[in-house]
Amino acid sequence: MTAPARPPALNSAGLSKTDYKGLPSTLCPGCGHDSISSRIIDAAFQLGLRPHSVMKLSGIGCSSKSPAYFLNAAHGINTVHGRMPSVATGAMLAQRWHTAIGVSGDGDTGSIGIGQFKHLVRRNVPMVYIIENNGVYGLTKGQFSATADEGQHLKYIGTNELPPLDLCAEAIIAGAGFVARSFAGDAKQVTELLKAAIAFRGMAVLDIVSPCVTFNNHDDSTKSYAYGKEHEVPLHDITFIPDYAEIMVDYDPGDVISVQLHDGATVQLRKLGRDYDPASRLGALALLENSKHTGELVTGLLYLDQRRPTLPEALHLPELPLALLPEDLIRPSRESLEGVMAGFA
Amino acid sequence: MTQPAPRPAAPVRPVVNDFTINVATVNGSGSQTSNATLVDALFHMGIPVNAKNIFPSNIKGLPTWYSIRVSGDGYTARRDHAEVLVAFNAKTLDQDLRELPTGGVMFYPDHLKPSAPRDDVSMYPLPVNAIMKEQNVDAKFRDRMMNMVYVGALAQVLGIEMDAILDYLNRNFAGKAKVVASNYDIARAAFEWCAANVVKTDPYSVQRMNATTGKILIDGNTAGALGAIYGGCTVVAWYPITPATSLAEGLIEWMPKLRRDPHSGANTFAIVQSEDELAAIGMLVGAGWAGARAMTSTSGPGISLMAEFAGYAYFTEIPLVVWNIQRMGPSTGLPTRVSQGDLLSTYYLSHGDTKHVVLLPGTPAECFEFGWRAFDLAEALQTPVFVNSDLDLGMNIWMSEPFAYPDRPIHRGKVLRAEDIVALGGSFARYRDEDGTGVGPRTLPGTDALGGAYFTRGTGHTDAATYSEHPEEWLKNLRRLDRKHEHARSVVPAPVISGGGARTGLINMGSTEPGIVEARALLDRAGLRTDALRVRALPFCQDVRAFIEEHEEVVVVEMNQQGQLAILLRTEYPEFATRIHSVAHCDGLPLSAAFIAARVQDALTAPQPEEVPA
């Protein structure tokens, strides 16, 4: 006699983890991007997001294929190279109720899309912007991206003579309110950061080093698994506590920074021996600059500032999404047209 | 004050309400108010009037001309020559005078000396500096205010009513009594000086009529902006470019006045100045995908930058609206001059096999109408809709009937809601053509039903929107898009056809319309009767083919060098290719009726290429 199958665990939305799954991945086995997709599934499940209220967006590249691999029940759009930010901007203007999750790569964001990325951040479009950063173009089989290491060598392209862009620094300079870096191999940290980013009310940028197992997993690459494992220096242990969960502080309160997000959720950052304040913009930039010289892969929540209004707020948009406004709100009256015409008579 | 030498009155036949005024000034010298005053005063005297600003691509200092056509017959096309010259630009004075026809009249500041004065035109030097001094105009305003001198002078010599001038100033500077007074006083002083000193030797004058009653004066870009607002536009993303900027500015001006939620005070619209045209159309793609009515305004160079997203939106079937206010390209070209040179590039914009819906307004009233209809079409057809206007229509002031309120409710197309998905058993095929129109159903993000979501992608896909590289799926999809394009022929604005029964037909589009209307009258007088068809959309409606079929010869008149409309017509109707003649011309200026009439006659008498002996 077999034991009855255990019903799957349900989250606060009454959904099982299966409800957050995507299509089977077509990326290379072992790709860091697939780990990130799994973390997105974890985070969305744990937060109890309703999939239909999520919009998933991407540009072009290996990373940009990944929205197909999570949240099948969410609307998705795979756009053009480097220009997902503008599409996300328009989508969030139309449907401000949604949780927008954009997935991009370092080529998509740092090269062709750097302009749109900076302006997306500058506009504070409320969304989570994930950069799956492997320092290389995978879909075109191994060319340097703008985050590739200086001096790095690739088989067909030769040596990279140029310094990399630090996309976290670019985001902070452009005015981002939530900037984090992580490593695809650090499942717990990625999940907690994702949950905090989703709960954040403005633009949240997550730069996740995600090794390319096929083209950029050499020992001399700072985007390889080996390098990430050896050089990752977490700034803090991060714990995300949704507002409905009991807050358990299981370590010395003196070592914990607790940040309350707008919806009542809390991010707890337990320091790991470093005196780091994620509320300091200059401190975050200094940290990134220093880590570049020491070769550390500093991970965690680098910068947090909740003060800036989001784009829908700045534009004084109504609570009801623009896409759903009824005709009587979007077509002025016949009498109003007569008034306008009188002004031109 | 200088006294002009008395000149005997020439025994000329008076010319009433039928001439053109050409005002030559320096760009940035503030002549806009003066010119607008003249146009408005004439209009409010009931006289049909049209105004064109021929301006340079700079901020200040280069020559600019403002051409005001006064036509009791109601013609509004540009004319090749102006009879009345206001020569307030020293740098162009001599050339402008040389171009004046015999019997013309020139008003100019008396401190400017033409190097070759003419005996065959009336020359009225005006004591501009003396009037400015007398009126105690502050030195820093002198350049701007001196333009009011020619307003007063023209009023006196031509018979424009000073009350109409004052009325305009009061409306334009409402609440600024001092500004009204300072402008009016200068005009009045010039008027009185002319009354006392000018001996009228020219034949031109105006007389009050009632041909503008109930009409409005408006530019096409403002009309387009208003149309979009009444079309329920909710997202605007734009990037500055002449001559499209004033359309966006129209939205910025009028949306807050007309589109605030009366209860919450919130904006029922979003306007974003994007970082470039690529981002502008990208925002429309996102907004259109998510269910907003999204639009942008741009011009040729912006259209090129939008090419990739245009093809993406065509293939992913996302509704959006792009206004292309055409100027003379390529690239910078003549950025402040008119052209209809983007027809082919807009129709086929992007890579791959892309064919767009293009609307071609010819009047401000159509700019308004297409402003709202473009959204209905874009959503009904689930595709980008381009509205190709141009600088002449867009930036110049036209007489128009007041705009008609949209005659139908907002049409959102085939959008399935959650209950529809449930009724369908929890799934739908995004790109399945159920009714032969080529248009499948779509859902918007947020549709709260399992199976309501789908994945939008630029890659090959099945009719259920799943990824596919299968050749058959690809072909199936493109054949459906072709069916959609064919279906569009029956829903886009039909052409406007005038006349009937002539053996010769004229075909045109957009802002060549006033030139065609007047040219047909000229041709009629010369013994050539014509019918006319104005194309108002691509793809062509069936009526276009029928019109060509019914006429032995067809002349296609357009404002570009290569005859792009003629090329499209010959391509679509190869069986009639030999009867399609092309009059294509573009030098940056709107086509005049005289030019069109002459070229149509040439085209009809010239041998066709295939008739030329080898």
Side-chain angles (χ1 to χ4, degrees):
Chain A
M1 202 175 136
T2 54
R6 187 189 290 184
L10 301 182
N11 63 9
S12 59
L15 299 169
S16 75
K17 202 158 171 187
T18 316
D19 295 322
Y20 293 86
K21 291 254 153 65
L23 299 171
S25 172
T26 61
L27 297 173
C28 308
C31 178
H33 301 356
D34 284 335
S35 315
I36 297 169
S37 293
S38 300
R39 301 295 81 76
I40 294 171
I41 292 168
D42 290 345
F45 171 71
Q46 289 175 29
L47 287 175
L49 291 186
R50 292 165 63 81
H52 75 268
S53 71
V54 177
M55 297 194 292
K56 40 183 193 171
L57 308 104
S58 61
I60 297 290
C62 293
S63 59
S64 294
K65 290 163 82 84
S66 45
Y69 313 140
F70 59 84
L71 269 65
N72 257 349
H75 264 78
I77 184 165
N78 178 210
T79 67
V80 303
H81 206 186
R83 278 154 280 156
M84 173 265 279
S86 59
V87 177
T89 305
M92 284 310 285
L93 288 175
Q95 293 265 16
R96 65 179 299 187
W97 284 347
H98 279 70
T99 298
I101 300 176
V103 183
S104 183
D106 40 296
D108 198 57
T109 296
S111 298
I112 185 168
I114 187 71
Q116 291 216 344
F117 172 65
K118 300 269 296 193
H119 285 278
L120 178 76
V121 172
R122 172 180 159 249
R123 292 193 177 100
N124 202 17
V125 175
M127 70 179 294
V128 180
Y129 190 99
I130 300 164
I131 303 153
E132 299 183 341
N133 189 349
N134 58 18
V136 72
Y137 283 76
L139 265 189
T140 48
K141 304 198 170 178
Q143 298 80 32
F144 295 118
S145 80
T147 66
D149 304 321
E150 188 170 357
Q152 198 195 336
H153 192 79
L154 286 179
K155 193 173 171 189
Y156 298 112
I157 302 297
T159 305
N160 180 29
E161 306 290 355
L162 299 172
L165 287 185
D166 186 322
L167 295 175
C168 287
E170 297 292 342
I172 292 169
I173 291 167
F178 182 113
V179 181
R181 174 163 283 155
S182 194
F183 174 57
D186 188 343
K188 178 182 182 299
Q189 191 190 51
V190 171
T191 307
E192 296 303 308
L193 283 172
L194 273 168
K195 287 193 286 183
I198 290 168
F200 184 70
R201 62 194 271 277
M203 168 94 211
V205 177
L206 265 89
D207 180 34
I208 306 178
V209 172
S210 171
C212 173
V213 291
T214 304
F215 296 108
N216 198 14
N217 203 24
H218 324 291
D219 287 345
D220 62 343
S221 167
T222 62
K223 309 292 190 299
S224 67
Y225 267 113
Y227 192 93
K229 288 274 183 214
E230 282 166 26
H231 294 83
E232 187 191 4
V233 181
L235 282 171
H236 30 238
D237 256 359
I238 183 164
T239 309
F240 177 81
I241 303 157
D243 59 338
Y244 47 80
E246 188 183 354
I247 296 174
M248 302 286 286
V249 180
D250 62 350
Y251 29 73
D252 185 346
D255 291 334
V256 174
I257 300 176
S258 213
V259 188
Q260 182 136 26
L261 301 179
H262 80 291
D263 62 350
T266 307
V267 185
Q268 289 190 339
L269 309 165
R270 186 161 65 87
K271 284 177 188 159
L272 291 177
R274 223 190 254 254
D275 189 16
Y276 183 70
D277 174 13
S280 164
R281 200 160 178 234
L282 279 177
L285 289 169
L287 177 79
L288 290 168
E289 182 64 19
N290 288 337
S291 66
K292 189 160 75 183
H293 297 295
T294 57
E296 288 179 348
L297 174 60
V298 174
T299 63
L301 182 58
L302 301 170
Y303 182 60
L304 184 73
D305 174 6
Q306 303 194 72
R307 289 168 300 180
R308 284 190 56 204
T310 63
L311 185 63
E313 289 165 352
L315 296 175
H316 308 291
L317 299 191
E319 275 306 308
L320 193 63
L322 291 180
L324 305 180
L325 294 177
E327 176 158 351
D328 63 342
L329 279 182
I330 60 171
R331 171 169 284 171
S333 68
R334 190 179 288 272
E335 296 70 43
S336 74
L337 182 61
E338 286 163 12
V340 173
M341 290 295 94
F344 289 96
Chain B
M1 287 191 186
T2 53
Q3 171 77 39
R7 186 199 288 261
V12 286
R13 197 163 51 89
V15 179
V16 180
N17 293 350
D18 186 17
F19 55 89
T20 294
I21 304 167
N22 187 21
V23 181
T25 51
V26 179
N27 200 25
S29 67
S31 53
Q32 215 174 337
T33 301
S34 307
N35 297 335
T37 305
L38 287 170
V39 173
D40 191 86
L42 289 161
F43 178 75
H44 282 94
M45 287 175 66
I47 306 165
V49 66
N50 177 264
K52 294 191 194 304
N53 193 5
I54 315 289
F55 61 107
S57 173
N58 92 323
I59 306 296
K60 267 187 150 179
L62 288 181
T64 184
W65 291 271
Y66 195 76
S67 169
I68 302 169
R69 177 151 188 202
V70 181
S71 169
D73 294 331
Y75 291 127
T76 53
R78 188 184 74 84
R79 290 174 76 238
D80 293 316
H81 297 287
E83 293 83 358
V84 179
L85 170 67
V86 176
F88 267 47
N89 185 346
K91 286 185 182 154
T92 65
L93 183 80
D94 288 329
Q95 178 68 28
D96 290 337
L97 177 55
R98 273 199 296 279
E99 288 174 2
L100 204 56
T102 295
V105 47
M106 169 166 152
F107 295 80
Y108 63 107
D110 60 7
H111 57 268
L112 300 182
K113 305 287 177 215
S115 57
R118 285 172 56 178
D119 286 337
D120 60 335
V121 300
S122 302
M123 300 194 45
Y124 303 140
L126 306 172
V128 171
N129 288 335
I131 289 175
M132 301 306 282
K133 208 170 161 187
E134 238 178 41
Q135 296 293 321
N136 288 322
V137 178
D138 191 326
K140 69 179 174 189
F141 298 126
R142 204 160 287 171
D143 281 355
R144 308 180 76 78
M145 304 293 280
M146 69 184 229
N147 293 310
M148 288 310 288
V149 171
Y150 66 72
V151 173
L154 290 179
Q156 199 282 327
V157 177
L158 301 179
I160 301 169
E161 296 167 7
M162 286 303 284
D163 285 351
I165 285 168
L166 182 61
D167 182 47
Y168 173 74
L169 293 172
N170 276 325
R171 275 183 284 121
N172 194 46
F173 299 111
K176 296 176 187 167
K178 265 175 90 172
V179 182
V180 173
S182 53
N183 277 285
Y184 183 72
D185 289 350
I186 294 167
R188 182 88 236 169
F191 182 94
E192 281 163 6
W193 185 89
C194 288
N197 297 288
V198 170
V199 178
K200 185 172 169 71
T201 53
D202 70 272
Y204 305 105
S205 66
V206 295
Q207 265 174 24
R208 187 169 264 280
M209 297 175 68
N210 60 0
T212 64
T213 311
K215 290 194 162 53
I216 59 168
L217 269 186
I218 198 165
D219 62 275
N221 282 352
T222 302
L226 288 169
I229 292 169
Y230 282 84
C233 171
T234 45
V235 173
V236 178
W238 71 287
Y239 187 74
I241 184 169
T242 303
T245 300
S246 61
L247 203 159
E249 288 169 346
L251 291 162
I252 291 165
E253 178 186 349
W254 285 98
M255 277 217 163
K257 293 177 189 166
L258 293 166
R259 287 279 299 278
R260 285 226 164 102
D261 182 341
H263 303 295
S264 67
N267 293 328
T268 61
F269 61 89
I271 303 179
V272 177
Q273 184 182 325
S274 58
E275 58 270 35
D276 53 35
E277 288 90 343
L278 292 84
I281 191 170
M283 290 180 200
L284 307 192
V285 165
W289 171 74
R293 300 201 135 189
M295 68 167 285
T296 188
S297 63
T298 189
S299 187
I303 287 290
S304 326
L305 291 175
M306 292 176 181
E308 186 185 5
F309 256 133
Y312 174 87
Y314 171 83
F315 187 71
T316 53
E317 303 179 57
I318 293 173
L320 54 90
V321 174
V322 177
W323 279 75
N324 176 14
I325 315 300
Q326 297 168 92
R327 69 186 205 187
M328 187 74 106
S331 189
T332 320
L334 295 175
T336 58
R337 301 300 164 95
V338 71
S339 155
Q340 295 177 323
D342 299 344
L343 190 73
L344 291 173
S345 58
T346 313
Y347 192 35
Y348 297 120
L349 188 68
S350 198
H351 42 272
D353 291 302
T354 312
K355 267 192 289 186
H356 295 292
V357 171
V358 183
L359 306 186
L360 303 162
T363 64
E366 280 178 359
C367 287
F368 179 83
E369 183 192 340
F370 294 0
W372 61 264
R373 279 185 80 179
F375 291 115
D376 284 357
L377 283 167
E379 290 207 298
L381 295 167
Q382 295 175 9
T383 199
V385 170
F386 291 82
V387 188
N388 274 15
S389 176
D390 65 37
L391 182 144
D392 185 23
L393 178 56
M395 289 188 73
N396 288 322
I397 296 176
W398 300 83
M399 240 173 24
S400 170
E401 295 296 331
F403 304 152
Y405 196 72
D407 60 6
R408 66 201 81 161
I410 284 175
H411 178 52
R412 304 299 313 258
K414 292 179 185 166
V415 178
L416 299 180
R417 293 163 303 170
E419 51 266 38
D420 303 321
I421 301 296
V422 173
L424 286 168
S427 73
F428 80 109
R430 165 70 182 96
Y431 299 112
R432 188 166 297 157
D433 183 11
E434 300 279 6
D435 58 6
T437 62
V439 183
R442 68 174 185 143
T443 54
L444 302 182
T447 307
D448 188 4
L450 210 57
Y454 68 99
F455 197 82
T456 303
R457 45 163 57 87
T459 43
H461 51 72
T462 66
D463 65 2
T466 54
Y467 179 72
S468 170
E469 294 191 9
H470 198 285
E472 261 312 307
E473 293 289 355
W474 181 262
L475 286 175
K476 211 172 112 187
N477 199 33
L478 285 201
R479 286 189 197 117
R480 183 182 53 78
L481 287 169
D482 276 345
R483 276 203 300 285
K484 191 205 276 195
H485 194 73
E486 284 305 307
H487 167 62
R489 291 181 197 281
S490 60
V491 293
V492 296
V496 175
I497 298 171
S498 328
R503 65 182 288 274
T504 302
L506 305 184
I507 294 183
N508 71 309
M509 61 178 165
S511 72
T512 55
E513 179 65 4
I516 287 283
V517 168
E518 191 179 352
R520 286 182 63 215
L522 295 177
L523 289 168
D524 221 26
R525 259 180 262 157
L528 178 65
R529 210 159 66 77
T530 58
D531 298 333
L533 176 144
R534 179 161 58 86
V535 174
R536 297 200 301 167
L538 302 177
F540 299 125
C541 296
Q542 286 305 325
D543 300 1
V544 177
R545 187 188 190 281
F547 182 86
I548 299 172
E549 193 174 18
E550 286 160 12
H551 291 86
E552 287 173 37
E553 292 174 304
V554 169
V555 184
V556 183
V557 178
E558 56 191 306
M559 238 182 331
N560 55 58
Q561 175 75 14
Q562 300 188 350
Q564 298 186 16
L565 182 58
I567 288 171
L568 278 182
L569 289 166
R570 288 186 187 126
T571 304
E572 290 238 359
Y573 310 117
E575 66 273 34
F576 301 130
T578 55
R579 68 173 74 169
I580 297 173
H581 306 260
S582 173
V583 167
H585 179 86
C586 196
D587 55 12
L589 299 174
L591 301 184
S592 71
F595 178 87
I596 294 172
R599 291 289 296 270
V600 165
Q601 284 176 316
D602 290 350
L604 290 171
T605 51
Q608 283 289 285
E610 54 272 31
E611 295 166 9
V612 177

